[in-house]
mmCIF file of all heavy atoms in Angstrom:
data_model
loop_
_atom_site.group_PDB
_atom_site.id
_atom_site.type_symbol
_atom_site.label_atom_id
_atom_site.label_comp_id
_atom_site.label_asym_id
_atom_site.label_seq_id
_atom_site.Cartn_x
_atom_site.Cartn_y
_atom_site.Cartn_z
ATOM 1 N N PHE C 75 2.629 -5.961 -11.926
ATOM 2 C CA PHE C 75 1.786 -4.792 -12.500
ATOM 3 C C PHE C 75 2.600 -3.452 -11.989
ATOM 4 O O PHE C 75 2.709 -2.581 -12.995
ATOM 5 C CB PHE C 75 0.470 -4.732 -11.775
ATOM 6 C CG PHE C 75 -0.069 -3.431 -11.544
ATOM 7 C CD1 PHE C 75 -0.599 -2.621 -12.611
ATOM 8 C CD2 PHE C 75 -0.137 -2.772 -10.316
ATOM 9 C CE1 PHE C 75 -0.952 -1.308 -12.363
ATOM 10 C CE2 PHE C 75 -0.549 -1.507 -10.140
ATOM 11 C CZ PHE C 75 -0.947 -0.675 -11.156
ATOM 12 N N THR C 78 5.857 -2.858 -14.203
ATOM 13 C CA THR C 78 5.598 -2.747 -15.597
ATOM 14 C C THR C 78 4.860 -1.512 -15.964
ATOM 15 O O THR C 78 5.085 -0.836 -16.890
ATOM 16 C CB THR C 78 4.788 -4.070 -16.152
ATOM 17 O OG1 THR C 78 5.405 -5.152 -15.780
ATOM 18 C CG2 THR C 78 4.450 -3.964 -17.637
ATOM 19 N N TYR C 79 3.765 -1.172 -15.240
ATOM 20 C CA TYR C 79 2.998 -0.052 -15.390
ATOM 21 C C TYR C 79 3.814 1.352 -15.222
ATOM 22 O O TYR C 79 3.734 2.135 -15.943
ATOM 23 C CB TYR C 79 1.768 -0.129 -14.514
ATOM 24 C CG TYR C 79 0.867 1.084 -14.735
ATOM 25 C CD1 TYR C 79 -0.186 0.949 -15.619
ATOM 26 C CD2 TYR C 79 0.853 2.288 -14.061
ATOM 27 C CE1 TYR C 79 -1.108 1.898 -15.859
ATOM 28 C CE2 TYR C 79 -0.002 3.336 -14.248
ATOM 29 C CZ TYR C 79 -1.083 3.194 -15.242
ATOM 30 O OH TYR C 79 -1.897 4.148 -15.449
ATOM 31 N N ASN C 80 4.596 1.362 -14.073
ATOM 32 C CA ASN C 80 5.487 2.490 -13.990
ATOM 33 C C ASN C 80 6.478 2.679 -15.027
ATOM 34 O O ASN C 80 6.685 3.797 -15.420
ATOM 35 C CB ASN C 80 6.129 2.313 -12.561
ATOM 36 C CG ASN C 80 5.315 2.854 -11.384
ATOM 37 O OD1 ASN C 80 5.005 3.965 -11.344
ATOM 38 N ND2 ASN C 80 4.963 1.844 -10.514
ATOM 39 N N ALA C 81 7.090 1.602 -15.479
ATOM 40 C CA ALA C 81 8.016 1.712 -16.721
ATOM 41 C C ALA C 81 7.322 2.239 -17.838
ATOM 42 O O ALA C 81 7.865 3.187 -18.531
ATOM 43 C CB ALA C 81 8.646 0.449 -16.885
ATOM 44 N N GLY C 82 6.230 1.703 -18.118
ATOM 45 C CA GLY C 82 5.431 2.289 -19.358
ATOM 46 C C GLY C 82 5.072 3.724 -19.124
ATOM 47 O O GLY C 82 5.100 4.467 -20.183
ATOM 48 N N LEU C 83 4.638 4.131 -17.963
ATOM 49 C CA LEU C 83 4.229 5.529 -17.830
ATOM 50 C C LEU C 83 5.352 6.351 -17.941
ATOM 51 O O LEU C 83 5.278 7.568 -18.612
ATOM 52 C CB LEU C 83 3.375 5.675 -16.522
ATOM 53 C CG LEU C 83 2.882 7.060 -16.198
ATOM 54 C CD1 LEU C 83 1.976 7.603 -17.477
ATOM 55 C CD2 LEU C 83 2.018 6.949 -14.962
ATOM 56 N N LEU C 85 8.244 5.876 -19.450
ATOM 57 C CA LEU C 85 8.691 5.905 -20.914
ATOM 58 C C LEU C 85 7.785 6.820 -21.833
ATOM 59 O O LEU C 85 8.153 7.583 -22.701
ATOM 60 C CB LEU C 85 8.821 4.473 -21.325
ATOM 61 C CG LEU C 85 9.659 4.136 -22.613
ATOM 62 C CD1 LEU C 85 11.028 4.609 -22.251
ATOM 63 C CD2 LEU C 85 9.564 2.688 -22.766
ATOM 64 N N GLY C 112 5.594 4.059 -28.319
ATOM 65 C CA GLY C 112 4.685 2.914 -28.591
ATOM 66 C C GLY C 112 4.936 1.847 -27.556
ATOM 67 O O GLY C 112 4.143 1.179 -27.002
ATOM 68 N N LEU C 113 6.243 1.617 -27.316
ATOM 69 C CA LEU C 113 6.711 0.601 -26.356
ATOM 70 C C LEU C 113 6.186 1.087 -24.917
ATOM 71 O O LEU C 113 5.766 0.072 -24.209
ATOM 72 C CB LEU C 113 8.191 0.474 -26.341
ATOM 73 C CG LEU C 113 8.886 -0.541 -25.262
ATOM 74 C CD1 LEU C 113 8.372 -1.883 -25.610
ATOM 75 C CD2 LEU C 113 10.400 -0.451 -25.403
ATOM 76 N N GLY C 114 6.173 2.119 -24.635
ATOM 77 C CA GLY C 114 5.713 2.611 -23.353
ATOM 78 C C GLY C 114 4.227 2.394 -23.184
ATOM 79 O O GLY C 114 3.690 1.935 -22.182
ATOM 80 N N HIS C 115 3.407 2.635 -24.311
ATOM 81 C CA HIS C 115 2.024 2.389 -24.253
ATOM 82 C C HIS C 115 1.797 0.859 -24.296
ATOM 83 O O HIS C 115 0.776 0.372 -23.403
ATOM 84 C CB HIS C 115 1.363 2.989 -25.559
ATOM 85 C CG HIS C 115 1.135 4.351 -25.377
ATOM 86 N ND1 HIS C 115 2.105 5.409 -25.723
ATOM 87 C CD2 HIS C 115 0.090 4.950 -25.001
ATOM 88 C CE1 HIS C 115 1.473 6.446 -25.562
ATOM 89 N NE2 HIS C 115 0.266 6.409 -25.289
ATOM 90 N N ILE C 116 2.611 0.038 -24.694
ATOM 91 C CA ILE C 116 2.473 -1.351 -24.575
ATOM 92 C C ILE C 116 2.759 -1.894 -23.200
ATOM 93 O O ILE C 116 2.006 -2.676 -22.714
ATOM 94 C CB ILE C 116 3.339 -2.182 -25.662
ATOM 95 C CG1 ILE C 116 3.041 -1.920 -27.057
ATOM 96 C CG2 ILE C 116 3.542 -3.663 -25.292
ATOM 97 C CD1 ILE C 116 4.165 -2.349 -28.121
ATOM 98 N N LEU C 117 3.669 -1.242 -22.577
ATOM 99 C CA LEU C 117 3.981 -1.644 -21.157
ATOM 100 C C LEU C 117 2.814 -1.223 -20.277
ATOM 101 O O LEU C 117 2.393 -2.007 -19.327
ATOM 102 C CB LEU C 117 5.211 -1.018 -20.744
ATOM 103 C CG LEU C 117 6.542 -1.638 -21.322
ATOM 104 C CD1 LEU C 117 7.751 -0.811 -20.941
ATOM 105 C CD2 LEU C 117 6.723 -3.081 -20.779
ATOM 106 N N LEU C 118 2.150 -0.106 -20.555
ATOM 107 C CA LEU C 118 1.042 0.331 -19.793
ATOM 108 C C LEU C 118 -0.159 -0.533 -20.062
ATOM 109 O O LEU C 118 -0.787 -0.944 -19.050
ATOM 110 C CB LEU C 118 0.578 1.786 -20.362
ATOM 111 C CG LEU C 118 1.338 3.100 -19.896
ATOM 112 C CD1 LEU C 118 0.933 4.243 -20.658
ATOM 113 C CD2 LEU C 118 1.193 3.217 -18.369
ATOM 114 N N THR C 119 -0.175 -1.060 -21.259
ATOM 115 C CA THR C 119 -1.344 -2.038 -21.396
ATOM 116 C C THR C 119 -1.092 -3.384 -20.722
ATOM 117 O O THR C 119 -2.042 -3.859 -20.138
ATOM 118 C CB THR C 119 -1.403 -2.334 -22.982
ATOM 119 O OG1 THR C 119 -1.761 -0.966 -23.630
ATOM 120 C CG2 THR C 119 -2.636 -3.274 -23.335
ATOM 121 N N VAL C 120 0.159 -3.873 -20.731
ATOM 122 C CA VAL C 120 0.429 -5.097 -20.048
ATOM 123 C C VAL C 120 0.274 -4.848 -18.598
ATOM 124 O O VAL C 120 -0.312 -5.826 -17.940
ATOM 125 C CB VAL C 120 1.927 -5.497 -20.470
ATOM 126 C CG1 VAL C 120 2.339 -6.525 -19.536
ATOM 127 C CG2 VAL C 120 1.886 -5.897 -21.932
ATOM 128 N N GLY C 121 0.721 -3.854 -18.111
ATOM 129 C CA GLY C 121 0.526 -3.520 -16.641
ATOM 130 C C GLY C 121 -0.936 -3.406 -16.289
ATOM 131 O O GLY C 121 -1.454 -4.043 -15.175
ATOM 132 N N LEU C 122 -1.774 -2.854 -17.003
ATOM 133 C CA LEU C 122 -3.265 -2.847 -16.718
ATOM 134 C C LEU C 122 -3.926 -4.223 -16.859
ATOM 135 O O LEU C 122 -4.742 -4.566 -16.041
ATOM 136 C CB LEU C 122 -4.058 -1.842 -17.761
ATOM 137 C CG LEU C 122 -3.766 -0.382 -17.548
ATOM 138 C CD1 LEU C 122 -4.311 0.434 -18.632
ATOM 139 C CD2 LEU C 122 -4.155 -0.020 -16.183
#
Side-chain angles (χ1 to χ4, degrees):
F75 148 72
T78 303
Y79 187 84
N80 277 297
L83 183 52
L85 202 55
L113 179 61
H115 281 83
I116 291 168
L117 289 172
L118 282 170
T119 302
V120 171
L122 289 172

